[in-house]
Amino acid sequence: MTMPTTIDSRAAIQSSLVRAWGLEGYARIQRTVRETDVSSDADFQRFYNRFYRVRRNAEWQSSYYAIMEREKASPSTAFGDVLREMNELTGVDGTMNLT
């Protein structure tokens, strides 16, 4: 006679939410970003690009990761200033009015 399978509904829901929200990937990025030079680590950049669906050219990505690496050391730049710098470096115009 086969014993019925017991399902832990709470664990099943938690596991589903972790996968659906990509929490393992997010945790990997948060852990790795401190341990690596994101401006030169191609593996980190590929994973980050896939996770956040970055669809910009190599020039844009190079500028983005250089700024990210710089800001890790001294996170003092305001968000609007970072957007302006990205625009100056890449010529990509954002959709936000920052004035």
Side-chain angles (χ1 to χ4, degrees), residues 24-37:
E24 289 174 357
Y26 178 79
R28 176 180 167 185
I29 289 168
Q30 293 303 307
R31 185 176 54 252
T32 308
V33 73
R34 292 183 210 102
E35 301 168 352
T36 188
D37 179 346

Side-chain angles (χ1 to χ4, degrees), residues 50-64:
R50 187 171 52 248
F51 184 83
Y52 285 108
R53 297 183 176 130
V54 175
R55 303 291 184 259
R56 299 288 185 164
N57 63 31
E59 176 191 359
W60 187 95
Q61 289 183 31
S62 177
S63 297
Y64 179 84

Side-chain angles (χ1 to χ4, degrees), residues 36-51:
T36 188
D37 179 346
V38 299
S39 66
S40 64
D41 187 328
D43 290 333
F44 174 85
Q45 292 176 13
R46 267 191 300 279
F47 189 83
Y48 185 97
N49 291 346
R50 187 171 52 248
F51 184 83

Side-chain angles (χ1 to χ4, degrees), residues 56-94:
R56 299 288 185 164
N57 63 31
E59 176 191 359
W60 187 95
Q61 289 183 31
S62 177
S63 297
Y64 179 84
Y65 288 113
I67 291 170
M68 181 188 284
E69 183 62 28
R70 180 193 72 209
E71 290 300 309
K72 281 180 9 184
S74 59
S76 59
T77 307
F79 181 68
D81 293 336
V82 170
L83 291 179
R84 283 184 195 90
E85 183 178 359
M86 283 297 296
N87 177 264
E88 290 169 8
L89 292 171
T90 66
V92 175
D93 194 14

